[in-house]
């Protein structure tokens, strides 16, 4: 599982910092999560292939989380894209994008599908044979969702020495990897556990963008491998965080601790602070495993 941070700062883009956008590579799929202004430039800088992005997830309709979307959609068209593009986001995202396309007479030459979200409860919004994506309802000034990406457990791993010792034909290997027992020609039934190893553990990633401290998300993200949680402010600005419905680094750490997350990744920093290291120092007073997102930084888990 690889995460590339394209932008992770709050509010407006600056010369050296970008608003929220990131790419999650999981099970050979590339998911774009939020699309702040300048996202396509950051995609190029980080040498990520535009053509591999088929699903875009927008947390909410504040500009620093989606103003880059119309530009990206238009660039896809200019590049001759033919593959379908699916956009998941709050109700209204379709109207906003289609209005811009219509008034600029810039319709795409590929199919553009909008999956608008309205539910205040967690729901499954994407699923294929390898990955499932669920919403994480958040509390912000407008309707907002985070997203939980979960790998599905893969096949069991063949113990080649064992299957060869039992002289099992290769035509049965696929059934064995699916967990089935095998009956030999002499009638003996070989338990699958004697022929395989446990599959590689499935990974999970929770993206929690703009939100106030909100413990209701904890059951949804329980035991997550990596939690990205906004930390716009330090504890000294807790009152401002409450007023603007954002979180502090300490509050993000409390969520990670109560959810039993394996790793906390901080982001969405206010640029009022001299160093983002202050966020890590503050969060580590509550939760030990803290990483700092930063523009252009990649993480492999």
């Amino acid at each position: 599982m690889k995460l590339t941070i394209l932008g992770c700062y709050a509010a407006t883009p600056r010369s050296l910092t970008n608003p929220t956008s990131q790419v999650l590579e999981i099970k050979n799929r590339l998911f774009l999560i939020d699309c702040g202004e300048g996202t396509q430039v950051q995609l190029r800088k980080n040498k990520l292939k535009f053509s591999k992005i088929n699903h875009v997830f927008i947390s909410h309709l504040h500009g620093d989380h989606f103003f880059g979307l119309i530009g990206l959609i238009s660039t896809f068209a200019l590049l001759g894209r033919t593959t379908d593009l699916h956009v998941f986001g709050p109700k209204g995202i379709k109207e906003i994008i289609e209005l811009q396309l219509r008034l600029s007479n810039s319709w795409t030459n590929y199919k553009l599908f909008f999956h608008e979200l309205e539910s205040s409860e967690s729901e499954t919004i994407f699923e294929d044979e390898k990955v499932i994506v669920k919403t994480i309802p958040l509390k912000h000034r407008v309707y907002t969702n985070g997203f939980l990406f979960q790998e599905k457990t893969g096949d069991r791993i063949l113990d080649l020495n064992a299957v060869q010792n039992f002289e099992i034909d290769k035509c049965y290997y696929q059934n064995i990897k699916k967990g089935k027992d095998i009956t030999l020609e002499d009638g003996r039934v070989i338990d699958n556990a004697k022929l395989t190893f446990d599959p590689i553990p499935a990974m999970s990633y929770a993206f929690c963008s703009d939100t106030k401290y909100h413990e209701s998300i904890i059951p949804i993200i329980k035991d997550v491998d990596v939690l990205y949680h906004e930390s716009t402010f330090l504890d000294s600005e807790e009152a401002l965080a409450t007023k603007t419905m954002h979180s502090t680094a300490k509050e993000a750490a409390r969520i990670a601790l109560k959810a039993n997350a394996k790793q906390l990744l901080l982001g969405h920093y206010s640029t009022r602070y001299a160093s983002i290291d202050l966020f890590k120092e503050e969060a580590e007073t509550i939760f030990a495993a803290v990483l700092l997102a930063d523009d252009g930084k990649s993480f492999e888990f």
Side-chain angles (χ1 to χ4, degrees), residues 5-6 9 21 27 33 47 60 62 74 101 107 118 124 131-132 152 168 182 206 219 221 257 260 288 290 292 295 299:
I5 306 298
L6 304 179
Y9 289 81
S21 186
K27 290 288 188 180
I33 310 169
K47 296 180 171 56
H60 65 295
H62 279 163
S74 298
L101 291 173
W107 296 107
E118 297 181 82
T124 298
V131 179
I132 184 168
K152 292 185 177 180
I168 297 173
I182 293 296
I221 63 173
L257 183 65
N260 194 36
V290 180
L292 290 174
D295 295 5
F299 303 89

Side-chain angles (χ1 to χ4, degrees), residues 135-158:
T135 57
I136 306 169
L138 302 175
K139 291 292 183 183
H140 193 44
R141 300 191 303 275
V142 295
Y143 175 77
T144 306
N145 284 300
F147 303 102
L148 175 63
F149 299 82
Q150 297 171 300
E151 292 181 344
K152 292 185 177 180
T153 303
D155 291 343
R156 295 187 64 78
I157 300 170
L158 277 179

Side-chain angles (χ1 to χ4, degrees), residues 35-293:
C35 191
E37 186 178 348
T39 290
Q40 59 179 313
V41 175
Q42 288 297 95
L43 285 169
R44 293 187 187 280
K45 283 184 177 179
N46 288 277
K47 296 180 171 56
L48 294 167
K49 291 186 177 180
F50 282 45
S51 60
K52 292 191 69 175
I53 296 173
N54 298 323
H55 300 86
V56 180
F57 297 84
I58 302 297
S59 62
H60 65 295
L61 297 182
H62 279 163
D64 56 332
H65 293 261
F66 87 100
F67 275 175
L69 183 57
I70 184 61
L72 184 63
I73 287 172
S74 298
T75 294
F76 279 152
L78 291 172
L79 293 175
R81 181 188 180 100
T82 57
T83 307
D84 297 349
L85 182 67
H86 294 263
V87 177
F88 301 80
K91 184 174 177 59
I93 187 71
K94 179 179 180 180
E95 180 182 358
I96 291 170
I97 297 301
E98 287 191 344
L99 177 65
Q100 294 175 90
L101 291 173
R102 178 169 59 83
L103 293 181
S104 63
N105 193 27
S106 301
W107 296 107
T108 64
N109 51 349
Y110 57 90
K111 290 183 179 179
L112 186 56
F113 296 94
F114 292 94
H115 307 267
E116 295 194 309
L117 308 174
E118 297 181 82
S119 177
S120 59
E121 304 292 329
S122 179
E123 58 181 340
T124 298
I125 56 174
F126 172 83
E127 183 174 7
D128 65 11
E129 69 276 10
K130 292 188 176 182
V131 179
I132 184 168
V133 184
K134 299 176 181 177
T135 57
I136 306 169
L138 302 175
K139 291 292 183 183
H140 193 44
R141 300 191 303 275
V142 295
Y143 175 77
T144 306
N145 284 300
F147 303 102
L148 175 63
F149 299 82
Q150 297 171 300
E151 292 181 344
K152 292 185 177 180
T153 303
D155 291 343
R156 295 187 64 78
I157 300 170
L158 277 179
D159 181 341
L160 289 176
N161 288 330
V163 294
Q164 289 170 4
N165 286 339
F166 284 110
E167 298 182 346
I168 297 173
D169 193 281
K170 290 183 179 180
C171 67
Y172 296 107
Y173 283 8
Q174 194 60 35
N175 284 339
I176 295 171
K177 289 194 290 184
K178 294 297 183 185
K180 295 182 179 179
D181 299 335
I182 293 296
T183 303
L184 302 180
E185 290 184 2
D186 61 10
R188 285 181 297 158
V189 177
I190 309 302
D191 186 76
N192 186 269
K194 295 180 178 180
L195 303 172
T196 61
F197 302 109
D198 289 340
I200 297 171
M203 298 287 288
S204 57
Y205 174 67
F207 170 85
C208 294
S209 68
D210 299 18
T211 184
K212 70 176 186 178
Y213 182 77
H214 185 43
E215 291 190 358
S216 295
I217 71 174
I218 291 171
I220 303 171
I221 63 173
K222 192 72 174 173
D223 301 321
V224 70
D225 288 290
V226 184
L227 168 63
Y228 173 91
H229 196 290
E230 76 121 288
S231 53
T232 306
F233 299 107
L234 295 178
D235 194 51
S236 54
E237 279 71 49
E238 183 180 8
L240 183 57
T242 300
K243 179 180 178 181
T244 59
M245 301 187 77
H246 282 293
S247 296
T248 67
K250 275 189 177 180
E251 289 174 329
R254 290 191 189 104
I255 293 292
L257 183 65
K258 292 184 177 184
N260 194 36
K262 293 183 179 65
Q263 192 80 57
L264 171 63
L265 180 61
L266 298 177
H268 201 265
Y269 318 110
S270 167
T271 54
R272 70 183 60 219
Y273 303 105
S275 171
I276 63 173
D277 290 334
L278 298 171
F279 293 88
K280 187 173 190 289
E281 292 169 9
E282 185 169 285
E284 283 178 336
T285 63
I286 293 175
F287 185 79
V290 180
L291 295 171
L292 290 174

